[in-house]
Amino acid sequence: MTLYLRADTAGIAAAAALIRAGETVAFGTETVYGLGADATSARAVAGIFAAKARPRFNPLICHFTDAEAAFAHVFPSPLAERAAALFWPGPLTLVLPRRPGSPISDLAAADLPTLAVRVPAPAAARALLAACCRPVAAPSANRSGGVSPTRAAHVLTDLAGRIAAVLDCGDAALGLESTVLDLSGPVPVLLRPGAVPTVALENELGPVARGATPGAMPVAPGMLASHYAPVLPVRLAITRAGAREALLAIGRPVVGGAICFNLSPAGDLKEAASRLFAGLRWLDTEGAALGLQGIAAMHVPETGLGEAINDRLRRAAAPALVPLAEAAP
Ligand code: TXA
Ligand code: MG
């Protein structure tokens, strides 16, 4: 049974009590819903991996109320301190060297010498973290490899019966996951484009190298990675949709498509980002129910938030995780 909690004083207190007791609780942030658990408890963190069916080599982001609390567990470089001062609270995740004495479980960090840390902005998330009195590990609250959730109903679709509770914090304001910036090495490396546009980072912090997105690489031998994948196949940058396709539009819709979800009729990338995952989920569910062949996605400009939107769309269009042993004849 999964409890449904409103994000009022009583709901937040109940959610925090569950997390302190080692349970998994989904909660809203400005980016997407996270599936939270006590980061210092290996048993609690194992509950996250089990609920999501997430491979254990994929590390989790730890969430904190402020930079001081985060930096108690990692060594911040001067650049990390600047990034935190400029972008926290907000949708930026920093990967930094773990402090040896940190009580955060090795499982949360997937045994890496680094840790991803983030300070979310919304009042409900911050109140929850404060009431937990400990770091909260939280990946996106979807089944591993699926589309991230931007509202409580999405979480329940994916994880009802597998987690203790969901704290309904309303629709996620930004709708795209945080930007992940690795500051553990000699040069800053962008591991995942996200809700902070890369140009905004570079304007403030200087040049950032483009790394491979974690989880997108063949991180384990024999694994071909994809992420954010709906059930229906996705076709990109289409100029016309088939009669038996579901159309994901932006701006003026192209011809065709049995059903259409418009990310932003005005072509506004912020609006499009906030509606991307809800749109993909809706087209996927309706499209499958109608027996459609796939989702046809219109071209999205690569500027600003378009970089992260296109990253998620490319992943949605990539083939699913296939162990080589199974793929081989
Ligand atoms: O917006 C977000 O970041 C949301 C909310 C809930 O905070 N969380 C989220 O978590 O998107 P998740 O687990 O879905 O994505 C985190 C990404 C993964 O690709 C993971 O591999 C990477 O961050 N990551 C975590 N720790 C890392 C580390 N130590 N080194 C490199 N990558 C890391
Ligand atoms: Mg995720």
Side-chain angles (χ1 to χ4, degrees), residues 1-245:
M1 233 274 288
T2 298
L3 277 176
Y4 171 89
L5 301 169
R6 276 178 222 294
D8 52 20
T9 311
I12 290 170
L18 285 167
I19 288 179
R20 284 199 307 268
E23 301 286 347
T24 51
V25 177
F27 64 99
T29 78
E30 71 273 55
T31 59
V32 299
Y33 273 69
L35 180 59
D38 178 354
T40 65
S41 158
R43 227 196 85 250
V45 171
I48 293 178
F49 284 92
K52 282 183 57 101
R54 181 177 173 110
R56 287 196 175 206
F57 58 74
N58 197 357
L60 307 180
I61 298 172
C62 289
H63 296 68
F64 299 89
T65 47
D66 54 45
E68 197 188 338
F71 291 160
H73 299 271
V74 289
F75 293 113
S77 60
L79 194 61
E81 280 176 344
R82 256 194 76 204
L86 288 164
F87 293 100
W88 281 354
L92 177 67
T93 293
L94 299 177
V95 172
L96 292 165
R98 267 164 94 190
R99 288 186 192 269
S102 162
I104 287 174
S105 80
D106 288 339
L107 184 56
D111 285 319
L112 293 173
T114 54
L115 185 71
V117 293
R118 150 159 152 74
V119 176
R126 289 161 70 80
L128 174 67
L129 292 171
C132 287
C133 300
R134 68 204 67 199
V136 172
S140 51
N142 49 280
R143 294 279 191 127
S144 186
V147 176
S148 291
T150 54
R151 55 180 67 134
H154 296 162
V155 176
L156 290 171
T157 301
D158 284 14
L159 300 176
R162 300 173 71 91
I163 61 177
V166 58
L167 184 67
D168 188 347
C169 304
D171 282 9
L174 304 176
L176 275 181
E177 300 89 342
S178 62
T179 302
V180 180
L181 184 65
D182 185 348
L183 294 179
S184 68
V187 292
V189 179
L190 178 75
L191 295 181
R192 177 176 73 183
V196 176
T198 314
V199 295
L201 277 186
E202 291 193 310
N203 283 345
E204 299 290 354
L205 305 176
V208 164
R210 304 293 199 275
T213 304
M217 292 282 290
V219 275
M223 300 294 273
L224 221 174
S226 112
H227 225 110
Y228 311 103
V231 174
L232 291 179
V234 178
R235 216 157 58 82
L236 296 181
I238 55 106
T239 47
R240 136 191 308 269
R244 305 211 41 76
E245 284 185 312

